[in-house]
Amino acid sequence: MKTNINKMLTNNRFGFLLFELLIVIAIISSTFPLFLKTFIQVQKKFLVFNQEIVKFTENNFIESVFEEDFRNLKSFQENENNWLSFFDINNELITYKVDKKALKRRKGSTIILTNKQKIATWNFTKEPNFLKIKIKYIDNKEQNYNYYLPNQNL
């Protein structure tokens, strides 16, 4: 009977040897840093890509609001403190200004046009039938908006 038990114990190989476990741990410990480094690089690139998408979206939003407002422009109002104010065809006052590094538009209620991008400076130049707006962001990128104002003697 003792020989049967010894045969069963020697022929039965359930489980792992210590050497096999050490090899698996060595393989995992050598490949895990590579996977982690690759994962971190992908996440950083995704964040940069996501920030570019947000900037692009904000610039498109600003441009669409500018286009709508300047299409309905009736007359400019005297401005101070680098504000851009004018009346639209419904005689509503529309004001653009930079406050706390964000571009804000006021027509009834205030709308913040730049949420993620911080503005360093902005300039506008009024010429007969033409308006140029230049926005410089904190990251030294510039955005120019040029609008033709037909039949306007401003």
Side-chain angles (χ1 to χ4, degrees), residues 8-71:
M8 283 178 31
L9 288 177
T10 55
N11 291 336
N12 210 353
R13 287 203 59 203
F14 292 110
F16 299 101
L17 294 176
L18 180 60
F19 180 70
E20 293 170 335
L21 287 174
L22 289 175
I23 290 174
V24 169
I25 290 173
I27 291 171
I28 290 174
S29 64
S30 64
T31 57
F32 182 72
L34 297 174
F35 289 131
L36 187 62
K37 181 180 178 182
T38 305
F39 177 75
I40 290 172
Q41 288 175 348
V42 167
Q43 289 299 315
K44 284 181 182 178
K45 288 181 181 179
F46 174 77
L47 288 175
V48 168
F49 182 70
N50 192 26
Q51 289 171 351
E52 291 297 319
I53 289 174
V54 167
K55 288 177 184 179
F56 180 76
T57 304
E58 281 188 356
N59 287 338
N60 282 345
F61 178 64
I62 291 169
E63 188 170 8
S64 68
V65 172
F66 279 168
E67 284 178 4
E68 180 183 341
D69 286 345
F70 297 138
R71 189 179 314 123

Side-chain angles (χ1 to χ4, degrees), residues 20-149:
E20 293 170 335
L21 287 174
L22 289 175
I23 290 174
V24 169
I25 290 173
I27 291 171
I28 290 174
S29 64
S30 64
T31 57
F32 182 72
L34 297 174
F35 289 131
L36 187 62
K37 181 180 178 182
T38 305
F39 177 75
I40 290 172
Q41 288 175 348
V42 167
Q43 289 299 315
K44 284 181 182 178
K45 288 181 181 179
F46 174 77
L47 288 175
V48 168
F49 182 70
N50 192 26
Q51 289 171 351
E52 291 297 319
I53 289 174
V54 167
K55 288 177 184 179
F56 180 76
T57 304
E58 281 188 356
N59 287 338
N60 282 345
F61 178 64
I62 291 169
E63 188 170 8
S64 68
V65 172
F66 279 168
E67 284 178 4
E68 180 183 341
D69 286 345
F70 297 138
R71 189 179 314 123
N72 297 324
L73 184 128
K74 181 179 176 184
S75 63
F76 278 102
Q77 185 175 353
E78 288 300 317
N79 300 316
E80 56 185 51
N81 297 331
N82 208 16
W83 291 17
L84 177 60
S85 298
F86 55 91
F87 288 98
D88 66 359
I89 56 177
N90 298 323
N91 285 330
E92 292 182 279
L93 180 65
I94 301 173
T95 304
Y96 287 94
K97 67 176 182 173
V98 174
D99 185 30
K100 297 179 184 174
K101 298 182 181 174
L103 181 62
K104 296 183 179 182
R105 171 188 177 255
R106 181 170 179 88
K107 179 182 177 182
S109 61
T110 302
I111 298 174
I112 299 174
L113 299 177
T114 56
N115 210 7
K116 298 289 183 184
Q117 299 184 86
K118 303 299 179 195
I119 295 176
T121 61
W122 86 304
N123 300 319
F124 56 92
T125 306
K126 293 183 290 184
E127 297 175 6
N129 298 335
F130 207 74
L131 178 66
K132 296 178 184 179
I133 300 174
K134 183 178 184 179
I135 299 175
K136 186 173 183 181
Y137 297 100
I138 287 182
D139 60 359
N140 290 327
K141 292 186 180 179
E142 291 184 2
Q143 186 72 31
N144 295 309
Y145 302 96
N146 299 311
Y147 296 99
Y148 176 67
L149 307 170

